[in-house]
Amino acid sequence: MTSVNDYFPSPYVSAKDIVHPVTVTIDRWEEHEFLDKKTGDLRKQPVLFFAGKDKGLVLNKTNAFTIANWWGLQFDSWIGKQLILDTHETNFGPGITVGRVAEPGPPVTKPPAQDGPKPAHDPITDSESIPF
């Protein structure tokens, strides 16, 4: 079904773009200006871009300081690092879902394969199935 978003796509990742948790690699960051709807002023915010992805993730304060706690306050030190993009429901109201970041843990050793159907994709590592 066609929607308005098909004709006017956003250059930024939204919670609706994240259909399952996905591991991405930070390729670069840029500073973008946004209109503050409350004050009407322009404000600057960092935007992360990921290898092989077109859309950037506008960092809110929570996600920015979460990442800074892992890898330091300097954005350039985040380049090449991997993180998991996921969503969660907020306390701002029922049904309000936002994007969030999580640090990938150490690699998990998988047990030997068993006979039977194999999953179509690994939702944590299969970034090809994410539409952004």
Side-chain angles (χ1 to χ4, degrees):
M1 183 174 278
T2 304
S3 77
V4 172
N5 290 334
D6 294 326
Y7 291 97
F8 306 103
S10 171
Y12 306 108
V13 176
S14 73
K16 292 177 184 175
D17 293 321
I18 305 170
V19 295
H20 58 73
V22 61
T23 300
V24 292
T25 302
I26 299 171
D27 181 57
R28 69 186 190 284
W29 73 276
E30 297 176 2
E31 185 178 87
H32 290 203
E33 287 187 335
F34 297 91
L35 182 65
D36 186 316
K37 293 176 184 176
K38 291 181 183 177
T39 66
D41 296 332
L42 287 178
R43 60 180 165 75
K44 295 178 181 179
Q45 274 188 259
V47 179
L48 293 183
F49 289 89
F50 307 104
K53 302 297 178 192
D54 296 324
K55 292 186 175 188
L57 177 67
V58 180
L59 290 180
N60 60 24
K61 188 174 183 178
T62 300
N63 285 340
F65 279 99
T66 297
I67 297 170
N69 282 329
W70 302 332
W71 303 316
L73 295 173
Q74 302 301 317
F75 292 115
D76 290 340
S77 68
W78 304 357
I79 307 292
K81 302 281 201 275
Q82 290 189 321
L83 55 83
I84 297 171
L85 293 181
D86 197 359
T87 61
H88 75 284
E89 199 165 309
T90 69
N91 294 330
F92 298 126
I96 298 177
T97 304
V98 297
R100 72 170 180 176
V101 296
E103 184 178 24
V108 176
T109 304
K110 294 183 179 180
Q114 302 292 323
D115 290 337
K118 295 182 180 182
H121 71 314
D122 179 346
I124 300 297
T125 60
D126 183 13
S127 68
E128 294 302 314
S129 65
I130 298 296
F132 65 89

